[in-house]
Amino acid sequence: MVITQQDNGEQTVTGTALLLAAAPANKSCLIDATSVLPALAAVPPSALTGTAAATVVELADPVDPQTVLTRIRTAAAAPGPLVLYVTGQLHLDHRQQLLHLALARTTPSTLRYTALPWHWLTGELALRRPDTTTVVLDLVADGDAWGQVRGGGFGVGPGVRLFGRVSPPPPRRSTAAPGYLKTYASIWRNGHRPPLAHLHAQAAGEAGPGDAVFLAVDGGPGSVPPAPPSAVPVPRQEAAPVAEARPDADPHPAILAAAQSGRHGEAAAIAAMWESTALRTHGAGSPEALHWLEVRADLVRLARDPGRSCELWMAAASARLARGQAADTEDVEAAVDRAHHQWEQLGDPAQARALAASLTRLRRSVPGRRPGALEAIGRRISALEDVPAMP
């Protein structure tokens, strides 16, 4: 943990709060997401993190999903408690059946390139130590995404505390307000510091709408379905999920079946749960944790997200090298080869350029069995120099 020494000699833990407010700056906008930021900015940082010392990072209407991912990754790397406040709108990618958080330039036709895939966020949070992360959401879902949320196909993964509201799309030609999070800010500005579970219950009662999904997970997987505020208790869940409760069971067939049937979010969630268990039991960099990192990399490949798959395979290769495996080890070479292959599949020149430097550094350390791999990267970079980025 990051320790800050106060003037009185006491030591305090430093927490990090990331405020992400995003919505399309066009007719696709469903929520006035950034309107909550002034209210949250008026709150003492310590209220946002629940710690005496706090760092606050604000992202207002970002336009680039890679930039948002980098900021989330940086915040997730902080050793102290992390609280993410996210307000915006969810959309469903029909090709991959994956939820995305819309950003400022997102339109229905450019969703896959201009929005943040929700599994990018949950994947970064899965790498943190359990019970050190809290997510507070105030989201609106479009029609297709709303069906998935109502069906239980939405969450932030195991080991993460979650409080929030997901609302159905507002009436046509109207824009929703982040009233749920504004209630939090109002209570904090008045000097009150109730537990998040109490804040959630009060915000759920005041914000509505009646058909919204209210999520409350305090220390374990699960959610509280839509209900009156008096029926929204938030107990700490002690029971392990079914997949964890049977360590002798092989989860791989269920994961593969979900991925092959197009339920990529479900497959990713199961893999993230097992990765979290491996991190908790064996530690970061362990063979068990690396296995599940590589499973996630391949699942993203099956979901046809080569950029994210490339990143995860590069992370796996780097982790293997960091734990002392030789560059010519079969597992290291395989990870770099797969990262390289996924990079070659990228159709977006800007994304390919962004990942090229990291891949080049890896290729210099791990040239692989096939001659000319490093040169092939250089040739493609040269070919991409005159190719405009995708809209």
Side-chain angles (χ1 to χ4, degrees):
M1 291 184 178
V2 175
I3 302 295
T4 299
Q5 191 81 26
Q6 291 188 312
D7 293 338
N8 59 9
E10 295 180 357
Q11 291 183 334
T12 59
V13 177
T14 298
T16 301
L18 174 60
L19 316 181
L20 171 56
N26 52 55
K27 63 182 180 180
S28 300
C29 182
L30 302 176
I31 183 172
D32 185 9
T34 57
S35 66
V36 75
L37 292 179
L40 291 174
V43 171
S46 59
L48 296 173
T49 62
T51 57
T55 299
V56 179
V57 180
E58 182 179 300
L59 284 175
D61 277 335
V63 300
D64 177 38
Q66 290 290 337
T67 299
V68 177
L69 176 63
T70 298
R71 300 300 288 273
I72 292 172
R73 184 172 292 161
T74 300
L82 171 65
V83 187
L84 269 67
Y85 296 89
V86 185
T87 180
Q89 60 192 64
L90 294 172
H91 294 263
L92 185 68
D93 171 20
H94 292 284
R95 181 176 175 182
Q96 299 179 345
Q97 293 298 299
L98 292 173
L99 291 171
H100 287 63
L101 180 72
L103 302 181
R105 294 178 181 172
T106 299
T107 65
S109 62
T110 65
L111 178 68
R112 294 185 62 213
Y113 310 106
T114 60
L116 178 76
W118 192 253
H119 65 274
W120 284 14
L121 184 148
T122 59
E124 295 303 321
L125 300 186
L127 300 178
R128 287 180 53 83
R129 288 187 299 109
D131 302 321
T132 63
T133 309
T134 303
V135 178
V136 182
L137 305 172
D138 195 350
L139 303 172
V140 172
D142 77 348
D144 295 323
W146 176 242
Q148 188 164 132
V149 171
R150 290 282 295 180
F154 176 73
V156 292
V160 178
R161 298 175 73 209
L162 169 65
F163 301 97
R165 173 188 73 165
V166 185
S167 303
R172 190 176 179 184
R173 296 180 181 175
S174 64
T175 304
Y180 172 86
L181 260 182
K182 286 184 177 180
T183 300
Y184 277 57
S186 176
I187 293 171
W188 281 329
R189 288 201 310 273
N190 289 330
H192 302 298
R193 300 292 184 269
L196 284 179
H198 295 177
L199 278 170
H200 169 77
Q202 185 166 343
E206 294 183 11
D211 55 349
V213 169
F214 292 98
L215 304 162
V217 181
D218 196 359
S223 65
V224 176
S230 59
V232 188
V234 192
R236 183 171 182 86
Q237 301 189 14
E238 301 294 342
V242 173
E244 267 191 313
R246 295 185 55 198
D248 58 321
D250 182 2
H252 295 83
I255 293 172
L256 183 59
Q260 290 179 336
S261 62
R263 304 191 314 275
H264 298 292
E266 177 185 334
I270 299 173
M273 179 186 67
W274 280 84
E275 182 180 24
S276 179
T277 300
L279 288 167
R280 196 163 53 237
T281 305
H282 304 285
S286 64
E288 293 82 1
L290 281 172
H291 167 75
W292 287 107
L293 175 60
E294 292 177 344
V295 168
R296 286 203 298 123
D298 209 41
L299 288 175
V300 177
R301 174 189 66 82
L302 292 173
R304 297 181 181 178
D305 187 349
R308 184 60 178 151
S309 183
C310 174
E311 288 182 319
L312 292 174
W313 279 117
M314 286 195 294
S318 298
R320 289 187 178 279
L321 290 170
R323 68 187 305 266
Q325 287 187 250
D328 60 353
T329 301
E330 182 178 351
D331 288 338
V332 174
E333 288 186 335
V336 177
D337 287 346
R338 286 164 181 161
H340 193 158
H341 176 73
Q342 289 300 294
W343 182 76
E344 292 282 357
Q345 307 309 305
L346 280 169
D348 182 356
Q351 194 177 11
R353 293 188 196 102
L355 294 174
S358 297
L359 182 60
T360 299
R361 284 193 296 270
L362 260 183
R363 268 299 181 208
R364 286 180 179 140
S365 300
V366 187
R369 306 284 172 97
R370 295 183 179 181
L374 185 60
E375 292 77 6
I377 297 175
R379 286 194 299 271
R380 188 171 189 226
I381 293 174
S382 298
L384 289 172
E385 287 180 354
D386 299 324
V387 180
M390 298 181 70

